[in-house]
Amino acid sequence: HYLLFIRLQFTWLRKTPLSYHDYLVFRGAGEDGQLGIGENEEKEWVCSIKALQSEKVSSVVGGSRNSLAICEDGKLFTWGWNQRGTLGHPPETKTENTPTQVKALANVKIVQAAIGGWHCLAVDDQGRAYAWGGNEYGQCGEEPEKKDDSGRALRRDIVIPQRCAPKLKVRQVAAGGTHSVVLTQEGHVWTWGQPWPPGDIKQISTPVRVQGLEKVRLIAVGAFHNLALLEEGVLWAWGNNEYGQLGTGDTQPRSQPIPVQGLSDLTLVDIAAGGWHSTALTAEGEVYGWGRGEHGRLGFGDDKSSKMVPQRVQLLVGEHIIQVSCGGTHSVALTRDGRMFTFGRGDHGRLGYGRKVTTGHPMEVPINLSKSKDVPSGSDDDDTLGQRWYAKFVACGGRHTLAIAVLQPDEELAEEET
């Protein structure tokens, strides 16, 4: 099964100036090197990726078994599982646990990227889209060439990033389990690959425009469902719907976009899609969730049932959330004052509480890091005393979580001293 998500970051988040104090931090499963720490071990507490501390990382993406980071200067780094070419270079080993730059994209400025089931997408500052990784369903935008005796396309991996959808000027890319979706600068949505579970419908490798959508502002893609937020604020959905992830009040799949119910009176500013659940964020900083509720990934406390229409996450009311990211079975919410709340499945330490707890109650994630190596946080030699780590960006993977954090003076402590 596919564990994936696509994150949609606010423009101001992407362009926030970064200082040398910014750290890329992580927690969760690491058996494929997806934590980027130089070893294949899981971590239950927040740790830092030291290999990227010299880079100005502006955004991160977590996949089912791999990760990537985009830098302010447009450089793209990848790490984790690489058997299908998902890291953007020929696989010399099955996994790579240290971030490396994607050399094939070194001469362009990458501004946004996405990870699907076994493939990746990226877009540069000129609106050119790129794809690499698994292509057995045409999800990288190239017709699979080899066929077996029965005429079925054989697996064909694209290990070096190449242009996809070359006729389109792309603003955002999103990747599903076996399909790809892009938003053009004109506000149109195009898709290709296998948009349904394999075997349900024939795949396509040539981009096809999604009809009925105009002036789209943001897109988000889960395993086999899709979301599109229009400039006017209406949210549309299409694709698989077995857990109500389309928010239509039923579990019937939709091949064409349909409005999501229960959000018409709200001002939506962001959306996110996990494997089988969806979220929307309002201008007031409130979160609405729907779809699969198993493990508590929707954040509704002890109620872990699936929701077929959006419902407000009451346990986050008052926290003023500015970003939400959805993984395969867990979610993370970022507050305006730089705190992180995680909820959902907790094995492998993906929630970052220091214990493998599974919960539907959003809990704040402690960031106990020292800038200096081997200095315990809170000790007399701790160089963070009087300061606090503020998270600026979050991203869920299949079984791990990534975040960008900056060390700044503790505002609450400063107020107390004053």
Side-chain angles (χ1 to χ4, degrees):
H1 63 284
Y2 298 94
L3 303 177
L4 56 139
F5 82 107
I6 172 65
R7 263 305 317 147
L8 303 154
Q9 58 265 43
F10 299 123
T11 301
W12 67 266
L13 273 171
R14 190 181 305 153
K15 295 185 179 298
T16 300
L18 303 178
S19 72
Y20 74 95
H21 291 310
D22 283 20
Y23 277 56
L24 184 59
V25 299
F26 65 89
R27 55 193 176 272
E31 75 279 7
D32 294 305
Q34 61 264 51
L35 299 184
I37 57 175
E39 58 186 46
N40 293 16
E41 295 182 359
E42 63 183 47
K43 297 293 182 181
E44 299 178 12
W45 296 99
V46 171
C47 301
S48 65
I49 301 178
K50 301 191 185 320
L52 289 174
Q53 286 181 5
S54 62
E55 302 290 339
K56 293 184 177 181
V57 178
S58 57
S59 65
V60 289
V61 179
S64 58
R65 301 170 66 179
N66 60 316
S67 307
L68 62 81
I70 301 172
C71 298
E72 198 176 54
D73 58 6
K75 287 187 290 188
L76 178 68
F77 288 81
T78 59
W79 62 97
W81 190 73
N82 197 34
Q83 281 187 269
R84 302 293 303 276
T86 49
L87 301 187
H89 56 257
E92 297 180 1
T93 58
K94 292 182 179 181
T95 63
E96 298 180 20
N97 53 32
T98 301
T100 57
Q101 185 180 357
V102 179
K103 300 299 183 183
L105 298 175
N107 295 324
V108 298
K109 185 176 182 179
I110 299 300
V111 295
Q112 190 253 329
I115 302 176
W118 313 121
H119 73 294
C120 300
L121 303 172
V123 60
D124 66 18
D125 61 348
Q126 302 300 310
R128 295 172 296 204
Y130 305 86
W132 65 96
N135 188 55
E136 67 271 44
Y137 298 103
Q139 62 264 47
C140 287
E142 181 173 311
E143 184 70 32
E145 297 174 354
K146 298 181 180 180
K147 298 181 182 297
D148 61 17
D149 294 338
S150 64
R152 291 182 55 188
L154 296 174
R155 186 181 78 181
R156 181 178 183 273
D157 299 336
I158 296 175
V159 299
I160 301 295
Q162 63 182 33
R163 285 289 305 277
C164 63
K167 296 181 180 179
L168 302 178
K169 199 160 189 180
V170 176
R171 192 164 83 214
Q172 183 196 343
V173 295
T178 53
H179 73 294
S180 301
V181 186
V182 299
L183 172 62
T184 68
Q185 295 186 1
E186 296 80 17
H188 300 152
V189 177
W190 295 71
T191 185
W192 64 91
Q194 171 67 283
W196 304 90
D200 287 7
I201 192 173
K202 183 179 180 181
Q203 67 269 10
I204 54 173
S205 56
T206 303
V208 174
R209 185 178 167 187
V210 178
Q211 298 300 314
L213 294 177
E214 301 282 348
K215 297 182 179 180
V216 176
R217 178 154 52 106
L218 295 171
I219 57 175
V221 175
F224 298 103
H225 75 287
N226 314 270
L227 304 174
L229 179 62
L230 306 189
E231 291 179 1
E232 62 185 24
V234 180
L235 182 60
W236 294 69
W238 69 102
N240 254 27
N241 195 29
E242 64 268 56
Y243 298 101
Q245 59 262 48
L246 298 187
T248 54
D250 55 36
T251 57
Q252 296 299 313
R254 301 297 200 286
S255 59
Q256 299 296 327
I258 183 173
V260 176
Q261 296 182 9
L263 299 172
S264 57
D265 296 331
L266 303 172
T267 302
L268 303 182
V269 296
D270 200 14
I271 54 177
W276 295 272
H277 69 295
S278 309
T279 62
L281 181 64
T282 72
E284 291 73 30
E286 295 186 333
V287 179
Y288 284 73
W290 63 99
R292 192 169 187 175
E294 185 185 15
H295 304 300
R297 72 193 77 181
L298 296 179
F300 296 137
D302 295 331
D303 182 1
K304 298 178 182 178
S305 62
S306 296
K307 307 298 179 185
M308 292 182 286
V309 292
Q311 295 188 19
R312 183 167 58 180
V313 182
Q314 296 288 352
L315 295 174
L316 287 173
V317 171
E319 296 295 350
H320 201 108
I321 305 302
I322 62 170
Q323 187 204 351
V324 178
S325 179
C326 302
T329 55
H330 75 296
S331 306
V332 58
L334 174 65
T335 68
R336 181 170 55 183
D337 60 356
R339 294 175 296 128
M340 295 182 289
F341 288 84
T342 58
F343 42 97
R345 189 169 179 173
D347 59 339
H348 300 287
R350 73 191 79 180
L351 299 185
Y353 305 146
R355 52 196 174 98
K356 300 173 183 178
V357 59
T358 292
T359 179
H361 295 264
M363 297 173 62
E364 185 174 351
V365 179
I367 307 179
N368 298 316
L369 294 174
S370 170
K371 287 190 300 179
S372 300
K373 185 178 180 181
D374 299 327
V375 176
S377 178
S379 69
D380 293 338
D381 295 324
D382 184 8
D383 50 10
T384 68
L385 294 178
Q387 303 179 86
R388 181 170 78 83
W389 288 101
Y390 290 78
K392 300 169 59 176
F393 189 85
V394 292
C396 283
R399 294 182 294 172
H400 67 294
T401 310
L402 302 167
I404 300 173
V406 60
L407 188 62
Q408 294 179 345
D410 191 328
E411 296 177 358
E412 294 184 1
L413 182 61
E415 291 178 359
E416 291 177 0
E417 292 178 347
T418 301

